[in-house]
Amino acid sequence: MRVLAIGAHPDDVELCCGGTLAKFAARGDHVTIMIATNGNVGSPTLTKEEIAAVRKKEAEAAAAVIGADLIWMDYDDEFLFHDRESRMAFINAIRKANPDIMLVHSPNDYHPDHRICSEISIDCRIPVTVPLIVTEYPAMKNVPHVFMYDNVGGIDFQPEIYVDITETFDTKAQMLKCHESQDVWLQHVFGADIVANMVRISSMRGLGPGYKYAEGFRSLPMFPIPGRPHLLP
Amino acid sequence: MRVLAIGAHPDDVELCCGGTLAKFAARGDHVTIMIATNGNVGSPTLTKEEIAAVRKKEAEAAAAVIGADLIWMDYDDEFLFHDRESRMAFINAIRKANPDIMLVHSPNDYHPDHRICSEISIDCRIPVTVPLIVTEYPAMKNVPHVFMYDNVGGIDFQPEIYVDITETFDTKAQMLKCHESQDVWLQHVFGADIVANMVRISSMRGLGPGYKYAEGFRSLPMFPIPGRPHLLP
Amino acid sequence: MRVLAIGAHPDDVELCCGGTLAKFAARGDHVTIMIATNGNVGSPTLTKEEIAAVRKKEAEAAAAVIGADLIWMDYDDEFLFHDRESRMAFINAIRKANPDIMLVHSPNDYHPDHRICSEISIDCRIPVTVPLIVTEYPAMKNVPHVFMYDNVGGIDFQPEIYVDITETFDTKAQMLKCHESQDVWLQHVFGADIVANMVRISSMRGLGPGYKYAEGFRSLPMFPIPGRPHLLP
Amino acid sequence: MRVLAIGAHPDDVELCCGGTLAKFAARGDHVTIMIATNGNVGSPTLTKEEIAAVRKKEAEAAAAVIGADLIWMDYDDEFLFHDRESRMAFINAIRKANPDIMLVHSPNDYHPDHRICSEISIDCRIPVTVPLIVTEYPAMKNVPHVFMYDNVGGIDFQPEIYVDITETFDTKAQMLKCHESQDVWLQHVFGADIVANMVRISSMRGLGPGYKYAEGFRSLPMFPIPGRPHLLP
Amino acid sequence: MRVLAIGAHPDDVELCCGGTLAKFAARGDHVTIMIATNGNVGSPTLTKEEIAAVRKKEAEAAAAVIGADLIWMDYDDEFLFHDRESRMAFINAIRKANPDIMLVHSPNDYHPDHRICSEISIDCRIPVTVPLIVTEYPAMKNVPHVFMYDNVGGIDFQPEIYVDITETFDTKAQMLKCHESQDVWLQHVFGADIVANMVRISSMRGLGPGYKYAEGFRSLPMFPIPGRPHLLP
Amino acid sequence: MRVLAIGAHPDDVELCCGGTLAKFAARGDHVTIMIATNGNVGSPTLTKEEIAAVRKKEAEAAAAVIGADLIWMDYDDEFLFHDRESRMAFINAIRKANPDIMLVHSPNDYHPDHRICSEISIDCRIPVTVPLIVTEYPAMKNVPHVFMYDNVGGIDFQPEIYVDITETFDTKAQMLKCHESQDVWLQHVFGADIVANMVRISSMRGLGPGYKYAEGFRSLPMFPIPGRPHLLP
């Protein structure tokens, strides 16, 4: 199976569904991580170009931890918008990954880039299969199944499906630690530590299903609907 | 695996999740159907005792179609209430079935018996495991996973999980046809035919996930929560 | 009374509220069908121009079945966006139709064109009445009442109002059959047949109110709010 | 047409849907007001028996304003419960009124008596048509359509249907003024005046649909569902 | 100010709002903890009488940590029901505590005793002020403000108000540790440790508002509504 | 404390949270009112330029009533869109006001300008703190707390927090009366009078919490979440 996780910023995917991706990878599925923005405002000290370069390397390192492909869309951090250009760019990138399953932000996520990234991703589900929409990569055969992952703080998000990530928790932590530039930054803006956040969320989400650590997901409630939660590991 | 489907009236379980039960049975799971009321007002012509006797036979015949056990609770139709007596009776009956999974009405179902049957069933999830609550059958080892099934008309119920029942559709129809006394009755009250209803619902629910016929379910969003939709067939 | 149904693609309106439109027309109301995109990617074999031309003819034929006017907006299929240009174009087109009632997609519909078409339509309710917004057609006197129609699969949409379309069901089928180019296409993408879908939805929605076939609607819950469901036939 | 409004206490029905009832009555429909409790704790000075007697007279006077029948159930104020006895009593009383439409409290109303009265009323919809449930009055032919009326403060209640009560507003005020014992009482508990409350709610609810005064309703979203909001005046 | 926290079982209040209670107490408010059931099935080894006696002592010790009063209702664990007797008993007990604020379970909590305890508590808000309802303790002057506390797992509960419990976290832990009989029991049923659970929930809830540890609450959305979240510490 | 209220049109802020702003101002907080559009279509007789000039003066007069600063963004009325330009302009303007608290429209408000103004405002919460996003005014130190205010008609908006505006009601009326050009206009479009509307809403919202007049708010349920409703006066 082919899996595509789409995040707005470098580290979003790792934080919100990294344990599940590690599980997919461990059982032999092909995983692609696609990142919409280059994170070029995520530093209190570097220039935009410098921090963008740093973050690309961090993202590559994180993907490498589980042997995932990386698609770097390079939009400006905090300024992702949904227009014809970004729609076409996402269609092409998704076709490149050619997934059976897509994991995306939830449309009610807290950050504008998250929300808009979610919207573009979801809106490409069907167009990616349409031959008359011509891009570098060819049209896909099937509409991929879409699952939405949890947000930071688990705010206004009630999971329907819980993935037990106890065994891949260390791998997830390793992926997150690749994003070292963000530890400083998160401390600066929110007073929060990236690995500590990971523990807080995964720990809480595990409480319901009785796992030590879990990640939560919802099926996209839209036609054609993913009737097959079994696809998650 | 052991599966218990609980319905308020004879034919509820068959109508709302019969195709899924047939699938469980076909793959070798042990299935029990538990019916709360005896259906003793479901006739325009017979006496209460007569129609109750007819319906018990119909229920036995329907269960036999898939080789399921039948638990007949024998409460008065339209007058199921939730009190200490009914709570204890349900605890005992569930322990008898000893299920890994329970399929129950949704708490917002349209009929009072459905709704109250759902409430009692859900409220017994945890007590069935408590040794100090003594009944004829012994305490269970684990809290069963609870899934709620769709209602007639699919009103105010958005499935999270869809089970493809295309292959067991004929078996489901066969189960429903065992309840012949209800065809007359449904015509009398709603002008609706039991098998026609089944086609309408299963057909519509299949539209989203792309199955010919489907049944829809939701996980009970309560601690301890079923994190394992994979349990459904 | 004047009625305007707005759909994103040729066939959306017919599928989701065609029976209701036929009923409006049959009782003498003036009906306009307005279609946002030209459907120019809806073919696995033709060019964009060819399929757009085919679909315009199909839309004209469908409208002709009930004697409705047709407004063809000619936006690119799969690429409708909400900006100043499209807002102005919709204001002008709605003023041309000059409706008392507007029937639109629901904002949570599954397809990006549907959702954005819904958003633009709803956002024009008030501006259409503002004289200082100058377009080819003059400002309307009143804010039209807006009702949202059901989606394919009835997913995450709980109707408030059900219209009995049993008598106009054949007319609706006739309207849908005008869109013959789409039968092939829907089979290609979803494995679904356009008339079969119509039967599945209308049949299910009829179950609750006790009609053979029904279409479901919701009032737009926004100020100024349509307090008059009696306007639906 | 026959209309039945069911309220938990004397004055509930007048406050929440009195204007609509006056409109039904004015156009010649038969109206019954059914009151579950006798209001026997609604006084800071009288005994239970005294205040219950006062309130019955007030309820009779209010019903007389619009020529409605009154059904007085006489349960203890603040202690209405849902059990076999109250279910049977409601079935019998509803059969006596034999309504096409029932107007009831919403299940999320703020007062326990309101909520439980709503639950019993809704749960009797179907049993009232069942011949084998024998009461003093005979079984009804059809399941009545159920609409839920607004609550005091309009809290957590979003109307779907608005009835223009501008013309019957004075009649509604006249009905409410019959409950003079409650002015003192409401001042005692909430510091609120019964007619002032009426103005506040009706005024606000009129804002959306553009009426001077309005009352808001929701259809009961349950099978068999009222697909006919046209039934409201 | 006088605060009353009502829980279904010994330890519920400590787990879900113990940090907030400690904060109330620390600033000089009068705190009462009221416990509906005696926890008499909460042991895999003791008899009902033995475990009930143990748990009462544990509850007394926990209350003593913050100098709170304890009201022990002594209903059977897992068998709390809502009837006239329990309604009257709660009215009397609430009057004894005479609170300005009540903290209660949420009506959608996972355990039947929690849910029913929530329902009885909420339903007593208004009756406690009614002089004609005579109990041992006199009628209260005002309807108390009601806030609902979070559940174990934070499932289907989105807090509106977050209380920073970082400073009282150790006190909360101390209160929970008084319930030592439950550590064994929770391990038996859920494989969960009571203090570990506390860390998981408080930690996660702190993530949004930026506290190290937090407890979440919702105002009861019912008339008369608590418009004064400032009342929480 | 510094407070920023952002409205789409001149008079929105006054109508929806003017009483609360007056209360902030009266206790010495610094208040800024920021208005997105110039209201240049809000007249049946003047030209766009004329009515825009009139409305700016009215807005200045209204702000002066409570000594608030005014930020005039000057976008075209009915044509506010969310793009990189408007995002940057809002970031800069918010930084100018440098608020601890922001009061904004709700995302489900009825008017497109309201909704989009809400979206831009909310989406700027985090970017305003990012140093690498360079605008005329410097980056803010903290993410401001965001509260959403009620809409006209209170439709689909359930307040969580109620502010008692009885004492500042006259000041609010005085602020609204500054917008005299809109009385004519509202009569033209909706048949509604601006001060009458104010009375209807404030009066109704006061009913729940027991205030003569109230304004309702909700916390933005997004990370980082305002856990401190105490910030409202």
Side-chain angles (χ1 to χ4, degrees), chain E residues 2 13 21-22 47-48 55 58 72 81 84-85 104 133 138 140 144 148 168 187 193-194 203 224 229:
Chain E
R2 299 180 64 86
V13 156
L21 292 182
T47 66
K48 288 190 178 185
R55 298 195 73 177
E58 292 173 349
W72 187 256
F81 287 96
R84 191 171 183 126
E85 189 281 328
V104 304
I133 300 176
M140 290 166 51
M148 299 171 293
T168 55
Q187 291 288 2
D193 167 310
I194 199 168
S203 220

Side-chain angles (χ1 to χ4, degrees), chain A residues 8-9 24 30 45 75 91 172 211 222:
Chain A
H9 309 104
F24 274 122
H30 183 274
T45 52
Y75 285 96
I91 290 173
K172 177 178 179 170
Y211 304 143
M222 286 187 183

